[in-house]
Amino acid sequence: MSTTIETHVGSPRRRVDGRLKVTGAARYAGEVAAPGLLHGYVVSGMIAKGRITAIDTAAAEAVPGVVKIFTHANRPNVPGGDADYQDMVAPPGQPFRPLFNDRILYSGQPVALVVAEDFGTARHAASLVNVRIEAEPHETDLDRLRESAYVPPEKREGIAPPPEPRGNADAAFAASPMRVQNEYRIASEHHNPMEPHASTVIWEGGGRITVHDKIQGVKNSHDYITAVFGLPPDDVRVISPFVGGAFGIGLRPQYQLFLAVMAALDLERSVRVELTREQMFTFGYRPGTINAVAVGANPDGKLQAIRHAAVAGTSSFEEYQEVVVNWSGLLYHCDNIALNYRIARLDTYTPADMRAPGAPLGVFAIESAIDELSYALKIDPLELRLNNYADTDENAGKPFSSRELRAACRQGAERFGWSKRQPEPRSMRAGRELVGWGMATGIWEAMMMPHSARATLTADGKLELACATADIGTGTYTILTQIAADSLGLRMEDVTTRLGDTSLPEAPVEGGSWTAASAGSAVHLACEKLRQTLFQHARGMNASPLANASFEHVQFRDGRIDLRTAPSEGVSIVDVLRAAGLDRIEEQETAAPNAETKAKFSQYTHSAVFAEVRVDEQLGVVRVTRIVDAVAAGKIINPKTARSQIIGGVVFGLGMALHEESMLDHKLGRFMNRNLAEYHVPANADVPEIDVIFVDEHDDKANPLGVKGLGEIGIVGTAAAIANAIFHATGKRVRSLPITIDKLIE
Ligand code: MOS
């Protein structure tokens, strides 16, 4: 007898939190109400470096409704020392301490907090605060600081430094008959999530607070607050069930959290501090990065040498680091490689992880250089890549756990129609527009982190999943629900998933594309345990049809445990709980990466991105008209939310290629385009048809689910593919992102 069991894992499913979001029932950190809630408005300094000499708050204090104005001069004592400001993902250095002293470290630094009965009053009063700052010379120009760039002595945790050089890249490059050597730049960018940063601190009495924070990991905010303010861990609960976009800027606690907690503790009142769009430009950003790349090859296209040296900005107080150059040692087989990464101290805030931190920058550089090499060699860019394909991780000298990049290249090319491409630049036209086809590959590490989860089955046959991780819009609620529903044979409607609360089992920040693998594995383990427990109870029931069965002989399906061989013989799980006299069965498990397989195999996701652009030569206007992204990311739990993830990433890649740029005025040391009119993120009219392919990739090593993660791979390679398409269309190579009109018509 054959039975088909419908499984949720692997099938497209709607977001389980979709209704809450579209109806507005989902509450975000800045929307939570509380009786007597006070509102804080931040006064931002506008000098890049110096010392506060005076703050006059008299006029602001006279405004009716103002409760208190906090500055460095009158702030409550902060018991924590320097190290207490470190958070879970802080780079080495001295974290920024809001209102700590009179030092000004960057433009936009918070210098006062006005707390009032309502937001409008606080904002108005803040405009009356008079801050005097004695300016000192500052430097925010990476070009001028290039020579001072250095290899960070203390490595940031989780960020692999460049690998040791292999062979002799300088000699091999000099001896190469075909050479490309250029500098590739990426502008600074800001994350610009829809939801601005906000913290609502509810004063619970007796020193206890509940904090609704915009954060990608509640534990990070919790541990930061308890360390900085010296609070007992149990007196602080942090909640963040919904995040309206973050893209990395929600990984670290930001200053509004400190300020809201400080004010709430001092006033013994509930306080909310929310930031304006302009203030969203006053902390972490993607650092502007300069890549010097040299690639050398034989006339047959065999790569002989790769050199990639990147210089990026950090702040004067922390050594921000990300992986920029390592990718150049991973994509291609090459015996002579030298990779180098240095940072320079700017008088800005510390950069922050943003949308696949480092990867799209380094990959733009190497994938542009490889594209340039293909034209020099007169070899098709895709063919050149496949001819130099790396079958193993030559950085680490290890095999990949799986690597279907070749298949991604072939399937992407097929879908795109790459074989119809005319190789010569400027050879394809549509009406008055030049048409360009370009491609690039992408790569991102497939990570997993230790992660706990709890599964609770109640007497009514419903399951509750719980863990502290966030769903930053990626679909985490939905995929965890799918995994649990399949495991216990329940409908998705019978499973409720709770996330984003420090009262739930511990989780790392949601970032690095590791949550599907990490939270998913934890849920899988907890549900496995629950199945075993249920089965034992089922066997012990009076006259149980499963009395002589072993675990392998049963299946969990439609709320029942049945014999596989005779699916009508079994028991319902509601009856199992009733018979055992239990109102619930609860199991909690922790999943951790397998150290042995991690030591033996390198784990990465891959993509091949194909882009079509149309360029109006007279106007310099570029339209991206088509993108195919073929992604190899292991098992896809939910093709619908997965596709969404890749589309989002590709759109960000498009933004990086054509629009996004945080413009620093070096005279003022200030980001100038601090709004969504002048900082352009792609809008609907900018976004073409995006065709996503998930390549079959079986990975039994990455984790029990075979999942590799999708949050970040969509952006990597996309900007390079678009830039390469623009060259193919126009014959003009722009090596500085974003590729704005001025760069094309100059
Ligand atoms: Mo991601 S930049 O780790 O949120």
Side-chain angles (χ1 to χ4, degrees):
M1 187 176 76
S2 77
T3 54
T4 42
I5 298 182
E6 198 211 354
T7 57
H8 298 291
V9 171
S11 304
R13 291 288 181 266
R14 284 189 209 160
R15 284 169 194 267
V16 297
D17 51 334
R19 183 175 292 271
L20 289 176
K21 285 188 168 169
V22 299
T23 57
R27 293 278 164 202
Y28 294 81
E31 296 182 317
V32 178
L37 182 68
L38 298 174
H39 297 261
Y41 192 90
V42 177
V43 179
S44 309
M46 294 305 258
I47 302 285
K49 190 175 178 180
R51 203 172 59 81
I52 302 169
T53 55
I55 302 186
D56 181 0
T57 58
E61 268 159 20
V63 175
V66 168
V67 175
K68 185 164 179 175
I69 300 175
F70 295 88
T71 69
H72 72 278
N74 74 344
R75 67 160 166 78
N77 191 31
V78 182
D82 295 359
D84 298 313
Y85 288 80
Q86 295 281 355
D87 67 87
M88 285 163 77
V89 292
Q94 164 68 70
F96 176 68
R97 296 165 293 178
L99 307 190
F100 193 73
N101 56 25
D102 62 355
R103 297 301 309 169
I104 293 293
L105 301 174
Y106 70 98
S107 178
Q109 174 176 327
V111 292
L113 179 76
V114 178
V115 179
E117 298 291 345
D118 64 85
F119 181 79
T121 302
R123 181 168 58 183
H124 168 62
S127 72
L128 303 176
V129 174
N130 192 354
V131 182
R132 251 166 288 151
I133 297 176
E134 196 176 272
E136 293 166 18
H138 64 264
E139 187 57 88
T140 55
D141 189 347
L142 185 60
D143 275 299
R144 287 208 292 260
L145 286 170
R146 257 178 113 159
E147 298 312 314
S148 73
Y150 60 99
V151 175
E154 192 185 337
K155 300 301 167 210
R156 180 178 170 205
E157 202 186 318
I159 301 299
E164 289 300 308
R166 307 197 281 280
N168 186 335
D170 288 345
F173 179 71
S176 292
M178 307 301 289
R179 281 177 293 198
V180 167
Q181 181 168 20
N182 284 302
E183 203 165 276
Y184 304 88
R185 292 165 169 262
I186 300 92
S188 298
E189 300 174 345
H190 278 80
H191 305 67
N192 277 308
M194 289 272 273
E195 178 203 17
H197 269 56
S199 304
T200 304
V201 180
I202 313 286
W203 176 255
E204 306 279 10
R208 285 179 305 106
I209 51 174
T210 302
V211 181
H212 299 264
D213 190 29
K214 183 201 171 100
I215 192 78
Q216 289 172 245
V218 282
K219 187 171 167 50
N220 204 13
S221 295
H222 175 272
D223 292 2
Y224 174 85
I225 294 166
T226 53
V228 168
F229 294 99
L231 301 173
D234 289 344
D235 284 0
V236 179
R237 179 180 174 195
V238 180
I239 299 176
S240 181
F242 301 105
V243 179
F247 323 129
I249 198 57
L251 291 168
R252 301 186 69 181
Q254 304 296 355
Y255 63 72
Q256 95 288 342
L257 174 66
F258 173 98
L259 296 173
V261 172
M262 175 200 70
L265 294 175
D266 182 71
L267 299 168
E268 305 197 347
R269 298 269 305 265
S270 297
V271 176
R272 161 142 76 234
V273 177
E274 51 189 320
L275 302 184
T276 62
R277 178 58 58 186
E278 181 167 332
Q279 287 168 339
M280 290 294 291
F281 287 77
T282 61
F283 37 72
Y285 63 97
R286 194 200 288 283
T289 303
I290 306 168
N291 296 272
V293 176
V295 290
N298 285 345
D300 65 358
K302 275 286 163 219
L303 278 173
Q304 300 301 306
I306 297 176
R307 261 192 342 226
H308 185 170
V311 179
T314 186
S315 66
S316 64
F317 46 95
E318 286 177 307
E319 294 181 319
Y320 177 77
Q321 296 158 52
E322 57 188 21
V323 179
V324 177
V325 297
N326 305 18
W327 319 104
S328 293
L330 283 166
L331 286 173
Y332 302 108
H333 166 68
C334 185
D335 293 329
N336 302 290
I337 294 198
L339 307 174
N340 187 282
Y341 173 70
R342 289 174 301 147
I343 55 175
R345 290 170 173 263
L346 311 179
D347 292 313
T348 64
Y349 193 85
T350 309
D353 293 326
M354 175 169 163
R355 310 179 192 158
L361 319 180
V363 166
F364 163 66
I366 185 70
E367 287 295 79
S368 293
I370 293 290
D371 198 65
E372 294 196 49
L373 186 64
S374 79
Y375 286 94
L377 290 161
K378 298 195 186 309
I379 297 178
D380 178 88
L382 175 60
E383 200 184 311
L384 178 64
R385 286 174 170 86
L386 292 173
N387 288 346
N388 290 285
Y389 193 82
D391 283 301
T392 60
D393 172 355
E394 297 179 14
N395 278 356
K398 291 196 279 194
F400 291 107
S401 64
S402 57
R403 191 191 222 212
E404 296 294 345
L405 175 56
R406 214 189 298 263
C409 285
R410 298 228 159 99
Q411 290 175 32
E414 174 70 29
R415 182 76 61 87
F416 188 81
W418 187 257
S419 62
K420 297 187 199 75
R421 178 176 179 269
Q422 296 172 26
E424 279 298 307
R426 306 180 61 83
S427 62
M428 294 170 69
R429 275 182 182 276
R432 57 178 279 177
E433 288 177 308
L434 292 164
V435 176
W437 288 6
M439 61 86 55
T441 57
I443 179 166
W444 182 250
E445 193 176 354
M447 290 176 272
M448 182 182 169
M449 302 289 271
H451 203 297
S452 301
R454 185 173 67 217
T456 308
L457 186 71
T458 43
D460 55 1
K462 310 272 188 207
L463 185 77
E464 185 193 84
L465 295 177
C467 56
T469 193
D471 183 334
I472 55 176
T474 46
T476 306
Y477 279 108
T478 310
I479 62 155
L480 297 183
T481 303
Q482 288 174 270
I483 291 167
D486 275 4
S487 180
L488 286 154
L490 298 173
R491 299 177 306 164
M492 283 178 69
E493 305 88 274
D494 293 330
V495 181
T496 306
T497 299
R498 292 178 57 208
L499 304 175
D501 184 335
T502 46
S503 69
L504 307 178
E506 194 167 323
V509 291
E510 174 157 53
S513 302
W514 60 54
T515 299
S518 314
S521 295
V523 163
H524 172 76
L525 289 181
C527 290
E528 266 311 303
K529 188 85 183 296
L530 190 50
R531 281 156 56 96
Q532 308 259 4
T533 308
L534 263 177
F535 175 63
Q536 291 311 324
H537 287 303
R539 282 182 69 191
M541 288 166 72
N542 263 343
S544 171
L546 307 176
N548 299 317
S550 66
F551 190 65
E552 299 72 51
H553 294 148
V554 299
Q555 64 186 24
F556 288 69
R557 193 183 146 196
D558 298 336
R560 296 174 55 80
I561 313 173
D562 290 316
L563 284 172
R564 282 180 192 278
T565 47
S568 56
E569 283 182 40
V571 292
S572 85
I573 58 176
V574 171
D575 289 342
V576 174
L577 270 94
R578 189 185 301 133
L582 296 169
D583 69 343
R584 62 181 49 220
I585 301 176
E586 190 170 289
E587 302 290 359
Q588 183 168 329
E589 289 289 318
T590 298
N594 182 323
E596 208 173 304
T597 49
K598 237 184 122 174
K600 272 198 220 146
F601 298 96
S602 293
Q603 302 173 351
Y604 289 91
T605 53
H606 300 90
S607 68
V609 191
F610 296 80
E612 177 185 274
V613 299
R614 298 190 179 207
V615 183
D616 182 316
E617 259 201 302
Q618 262 95 53
L619 299 175
V621 172
V622 178
R623 296 189 298 135
V624 178
T625 42
R626 222 155 45 91
I627 287 190
V628 174
D629 191 0
V631 176
K635 170 113 183 144
I636 303 303
I637 297 179
N638 184 340
K640 191 180 174 92
T641 52
R643 182 169 172 272
S644 238
Q645 282 295 283
I646 299 303
I647 289 173
V650 168
V651 170
F652 282 152
L654 199 159
M656 172 179 257
L658 300 181
H659 308 300
E660 294 188 62
E661 176 172 18
S662 299
M663 296 174 179
L664 263 168
D665 180 315
H666 298 305
K667 263 204 191 111
L668 296 168
R670 189 187 305 163
F671 287 110
M672 300 306 287
N673 52 338
R674 302 183 302 266
N675 56 68
L676 291 178
E678 291 166 286
Y679 182 104
H680 188 71
V681 291
N684 284 324
D686 300 307
V687 178
E689 187 61 35
I690 296 168
D691 196 344
V692 180
I693 298 172
F694 289 112
V695 174
D696 264 345
E697 186 176 67
H698 178 69
D699 195 315
D700 57 3
K701 300 176 187 77
N703 52 68
L705 299 169
V707 165
K708 285 180 161 184
L710 288 164
E712 281 152 309
I713 187 65
I715 189 174
V716 189
T718 299
I722 292 170
N724 292 342
I726 290 173
F727 175 77
H728 182 241
T730 62
K732 181 150 191 156
R733 180 66 66 175
V734 181
R735 302 187 182 91
S736 156
L737 299 183
I739 303 175
T740 43
I741 289 172
D742 52 307
K743 293 175 188 170
L744 278 171
I745 60 176
E746 72 185 359

